[in-house]
Amino acid sequence: MILHLKKDIPSALLVEEAARSHARYHLNGAHYVYVLGAAHKEVPELLKPYVEASFVMETDRQLSSRSYCAQLRKIEIAPDLCIDEAHTLLVAGPCSVESEVQLDQVAAYLQGLGVRVLRAGGYKPRTSPYSFQGLGAEALRLLSAVREKYGLRIITEARDATHIEAIIEQSDIVQIGAKAMYDHGILRACAQSSRPVLLKRGFGATLQELLQASEFILCEGNMQVMLCERGIRTFEQKTRFTLDLCGVAYLRSHSNLPIFVDPSHAMGHAYGVPDLSRAAAAMGVEGLLIEVHPAPQKALSDAAQQLDFAAFSALHATLPAVTAAVGRKLL
Ligand code: PEP
Ligand code: MN
């Protein structure tokens, strides 16, 4: 249940009531947004004098739900860069920051194409401890440098909570990776900040679990949350994961959070990425997250799935017509 409570509610009452019933709340301009588990169907007696509006919810998908807020939540990445229903934002870059030269090459290339947001990881959550783990703080320094040099916005991932503050400070969008979807240290740090967040779906997570993870960020007042479908594990082994476009359709109709699709990690092979990108664009998603590398065969992570510049340019040339067909402009 969601309640809008008058701002003049005594703070002791607010704190005690919330502690008693495991409610979470934040101040949103004119009122407190106070969220109780969906099992609560009646307004608590002591809060009644302060209630401006109440919303009975069916599940703990609450602030992210269209039944609470029917409009898609608009995200401001920068004063001149917003995510909304009129645009599909193309985000691209290598899986990992590998060197100053590699990052500079890809940043120069993407800026030349008009891409506004660069992706690249510095803290990589690898499957094996014996593979490249990312350049860490050095990657954040290199990303800041290309941000300045090329005027690109940066999205980079947090592997765990030990470096989340640096990522919040030095990125324009915090990426929470599939393996980190349940990392409460990361979720809670993002909840306390106002930085936009891209929350990727764990490959074994249901849509309900993804949305409940997003609620950990929303309930503390950070409404700048976007979701990313990046493939789930199924019985199929010919592709790395299975891109759940049914899930995208579900999220669009039930959630008010912008949706990105990452075809690179879903497919795991570069050859399938252009078609999946167009399929996602044709669904009218708010964003695409695509891996591109100056020399994919030499990449230190996810080599098989990264597009080279020629393949990315060919894909890029076809996307505006696809987004236009569903009423969106490619950003
Ligand atoms: C990535 O974007 O490079 C990444 C690690 O993705 P995921 O968290 O979806 O596996
Ligand atoms: Mn990757």
Side-chain angles (χ1 to χ4, degrees):
M1 169 181 254
I2 303 174
L3 303 175
H4 290 179
L5 300 176
K6 289 185 191 143
K7 227 169 141 173
D8 64 2
I9 182 170
S11 58
L13 173 61
L14 189 64
V15 172
E16 280 164 29
E17 270 294 296
R20 198 181 54 75
S21 55
H22 315 295
R24 309 295 284 266
Y25 60 87
H26 63 271
L27 195 58
N28 178 10
H31 53 244
Y32 283 101
V33 176
Y34 183 95
V35 190
L36 291 144
H40 295 258
K41 304 295 181 195
E42 305 282 342
V43 176
E45 206 50 45
L46 292 173
L47 296 179
K48 277 186 177 161
Y50 304 99
V51 173
E52 285 176 349
S54 61
F55 307 82
V56 175
M57 307 300 290
E58 275 172 31
T59 79
D60 280 351
R61 260 183 327 98
Q62 300 203 66
L63 298 168
S64 62
S65 162
R66 292 255 181 192
S67 60
Y68 167 61
C69 169
Q71 304 302 314
L72 182 79
R73 292 186 187 273
K74 197 169 158 180
I75 312 286
E76 190 181 304
I77 306 296
D80 63 343
L81 188 59
C82 284
I83 293 188
D84 58 27
E85 55 278 282
H87 297 96
T88 296
L89 178 70
L90 181 58
V91 177
C95 180
S96 301
V97 178
E98 298 174 4
S99 68
E100 189 170 354
V101 172
Q102 172 243 18
L103 194 63
D104 193 86
Q105 274 178 334
V106 75
Y109 163 71
L110 290 172
Q111 190 218 32
L113 271 187
V115 171
R116 309 275 305 274
V117 185
L118 171 75
R119 64 140 291 147
Y123 293 91
K124 298 305 297 180
R126 303 307 301 281
T127 304
S128 166
Y130 310 117
S131 45
F132 176 63
Q133 306 292 309
L135 298 181
E138 171 67 359
L140 297 188
R141 196 188 64 72
L142 295 173
L143 284 167
S144 294
V146 293
R147 186 179 186 278
E148 284 303 308
K149 184 170 173 188
Y150 295 104
L152 291 162
R153 299 288 164 178
I154 300 295
I155 173 169
T156 193
E157 71 193 287
R159 183 173 58 214
D160 57 57
T162 59
H163 46 262
I164 183 64
E165 296 304 337
I167 291 196
I168 289 173
E169 208 177 291
Q170 294 174 55
S171 67
D172 297 288
I173 307 172
V174 176
Q175 179 174 322
I176 303 180
K179 290 171 185 152
M181 189 198 92
Y182 288 116
D183 186 316
H184 284 238
I186 293 177
L187 293 174
R188 285 165 199 267
C190 289
Q192 296 302 324
S193 119
S194 56
R195 186 70 72 205
V197 176
L198 184 71
L199 177 63
K200 294 183 109 181
R201 179 184 182 184
F203 48 75
T206 64
L207 296 164
Q208 177 80 19
E209 288 162 345
L210 169 64
L211 289 167
Q212 286 184 182
S214 79
E215 296 275 333
F216 276 94
I217 307 172
L218 299 167
C219 71
E220 306 288 334
N222 184 355
M223 295 297 153
Q224 303 249 84
V225 181
M226 300 162 275
L227 304 173
C228 183
E229 162 58 30
R230 47 75 74 209
I232 53 172
R233 175 136 299 152
T234 66
F235 54 80
E236 186 51 67
Q237 297 189 1
K238 297 294 185 206
T239 57
R240 188 176 182 191
F241 294 96
T242 297
L243 187 63
D244 184 12
L245 294 183
C246 297
V248 172
Y250 171 88
L251 293 171
R252 293 241 354 243
S253 96
H254 292 80
S255 150
N256 54 39
L257 303 178
I259 301 160
F260 277 60
V261 168
D262 169 352
S264 303
H265 290 85
M267 186 68 202
H269 305 279
Y271 73 85
V273 170
D275 283 343
L276 290 175
S277 303
R278 285 183 284 266
M283 289 190 74
V285 292
E286 279 69 44
L288 293 170
L289 184 72
I290 301 175
E291 286 188 343
V292 52
H293 191 286
Q297 68 287 357
K298 293 196 189 135
L300 299 180
S301 59
D302 289 348
Q305 72 196 31
Q306 304 203 54
L307 298 181
D308 60 20
F309 290 174
F312 188 83
S313 293
L315 164 62
H316 184 261
T318 65
L319 283 174
V322 181
T323 58
V326 292
R328 287 177 186 253
K329 192 168 179 301
L330 187 74
L331 261 188

